[in-house]
């Protein structure tokens, strides 16, 4: 595994040249990297996840990862005991989450409750809000959030947001969630809606995303 680590590290550096990266793709670098996700060496896994994250910005690579069922292999890292691996896996997931079929896979394997729980960990929150925003933009998936702790967590994050203007990703996620009837009913319970409206009016700017 030490040899694999050094080898993939060299390949990752070489892949900075797009011409070389294309040659690697032709030689099946994506399947090889995805197969490495079953290994246990943290250093090797970090290089592999970083390499996949780099490759995932191209649609053809993303499609190949989808065919290789990468979501099931990523699931073990979200979360895991190694914070760096979790963070890198989340960044890879963010790149992949622009794809509708990937979002459906995330929902199908039950990853959404785990992503929501990770919102409690401040170091992952920024990237998680972006991922959850992408997921919540899919009408078929929105209802899943009602069966997690997402609504109360987002409510608390909005109410206690430290700056005058609420963060774009956070308010965008909140708006997406409320377009589902079940989620809207949950957030309207007790005094939550009134408190959210009051907090919104304290902002000196209005940011709406849909």
């Amino acid at each position: 595994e030490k040899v694999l680590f050094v080898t993939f590290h060299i390949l990752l550096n070489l892949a900075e040249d797009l011409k070389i990266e294309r040659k690697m793709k032709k030689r099946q670098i994506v399947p090889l990297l995805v197969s490495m996700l079953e290994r246990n060496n943290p250093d090797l896994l970090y290089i592999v996840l970083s390499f996949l994250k780099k490759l995932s910005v191209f649609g053809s690579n993303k499609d190949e990862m989808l065919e290789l069922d990468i979501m099931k292999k990523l699931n073990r890292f979200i979360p895991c005991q190694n914070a760096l691996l979790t963070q890198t896996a989340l960044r890879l997931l963010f790149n992949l989450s622009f794809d509708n079929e990937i979002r459906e896979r995330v929902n199908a394997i039950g990853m959404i409750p785990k992503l929501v729980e990770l919102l409690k960990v401040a170091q992952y929150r920024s990237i998680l809000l972006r991922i959850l925003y992408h997921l919540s933009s899919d009408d078929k998936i929105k209802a899943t959030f009602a069966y997690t702790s997402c609504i109360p967590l987002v409510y608390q994050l909005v109410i206690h947001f430290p700056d005058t203007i609420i963060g774009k990703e956070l308010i965008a996620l909140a708006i997406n969630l409320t377009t589902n009837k079940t989620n809207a009913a949950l957030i309207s319970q007790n005094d939550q809606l009134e408190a959210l409206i009051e907090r919104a009016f304290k902002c000196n700017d209005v940011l709406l995303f849909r």
Side-chain angles (χ1 to χ4, degrees), residues 3-15 46-47 51:
V3 174
L4 286 170
F5 166 77
V6 173
T7 303
F8 282 119
H9 206 160
I10 293 170
L11 289 171
L12 177 59
N13 290 336
L14 290 171
Y46 172 69
I47 289 296
F51 207 155

Side-chain angles (χ1 to χ4, degrees), residues 104-117:
E104 290 178 0
R105 294 278 181 92
V106 169
N107 189 38
I109 64 175
M111 192 186 284
I112 289 178
K114 296 202 302 179
L115 293 170
V116 170
E117 280 301 302

Side-chain angles (χ1 to χ4, degrees), residues 1-198:
E1 291 195 340
K2 289 181 180 179
V3 174
L4 286 170
F5 166 77
V6 173
T7 303
F8 282 119
H9 206 160
I10 293 170
L11 289 171
L12 177 59
N13 290 336
L14 290 171
E16 291 299 319
D17 186 325
L18 287 179
K19 291 181 180 179
I20 296 176
E21 183 179 306
R22 293 190 190 101
K23 290 181 180 180
M24 291 182 190
K25 177 177 171 54
K26 290 179 180 179
R27 293 182 177 273
Q28 303 299 306
I29 188 68
V30 173
L32 187 56
L33 286 167
V34 171
S35 71
M36 291 294 109
L37 293 177
E38 298 176 359
R39 303 243 175 182
N40 294 313
N41 182 283
D43 294 331
L44 174 60
L45 288 169
Y46 172 69
I47 289 296
V48 167
L49 286 167
S50 299
F51 207 155
L52 286 167
K53 178 173 70 72
K54 181 183 187 306
L55 294 171
S56 66
V57 299
F58 295 99
S60 59
N61 293 333
K62 178 265 299 174
D63 292 340
E64 194 170 1
M65 292 177 201
L66 179 60
E67 291 174 6
L68 294 164
D69 209 7
I70 192 173
M71 296 316 305
K72 284 188 177 179
K73 292 181 171 63
L74 272 186
N75 205 14
R76 65 181 287 219
F77 302 107
I78 302 174
C80 66
Q81 293 182 341
N82 187 309
L84 183 59
L85 292 183
T86 298
Q87 186 80 276
T88 311
L90 288 172
R91 294 189 180 281
L92 169 57
L93 177 58
F94 171 70
N95 285 355
L96 296 171
S97 67
F98 286 87
D99 183 88
N100 180 61
E101 194 170 346
I102 289 285
R103 295 196 294 268
E104 290 178 0
R105 294 278 181 92
V106 169
N107 189 38
I109 64 175
M111 192 186 284
I112 289 178
K114 296 202 302 179
L115 293 170
V116 170
E117 280 301 302
L118 274 179
L119 271 178
K120 297 175 183 177
V121 184
Q123 73 182 98
Y124 305 132
R125 196 168 293 150
S126 177
I127 189 67
L128 276 167
L129 287 172
R130 297 177 187 181
I131 294 169
L132 292 173
Y133 168 66
H134 283 173
L135 293 168
S136 67
S137 65
D138 193 319
D139 289 334
K140 296 179 181 178
I141 298 175
K142 284 177 186 175
T144 302
F145 287 91
Y147 304 98
T148 71
S149 57
C150 191
I151 300 296
L153 277 173
V154 168
Y155 168 77
Q156 290 297 327
L157 289 172
V158 170
I159 292 299
H160 299 292
F161 197 78
D163 297 329
T164 304
I165 300 175
I166 300 170
K168 295 178 181 180
E169 292 84 7
L170 177 56
I171 199 64
L173 172 60
I175 291 169
N176 272 1
L177 291 173
T178 56
T179 59
N180 173 270
K181 289 183 180 179
T182 306
N183 292 335
L186 285 172
I187 207 166
S188 299
Q189 291 177 357
N190 304 322
D191 298 324
Q192 289 187 127
L193 185 59
E194 183 180 345
L196 281 174
I197 293 172
E198 183 180 350

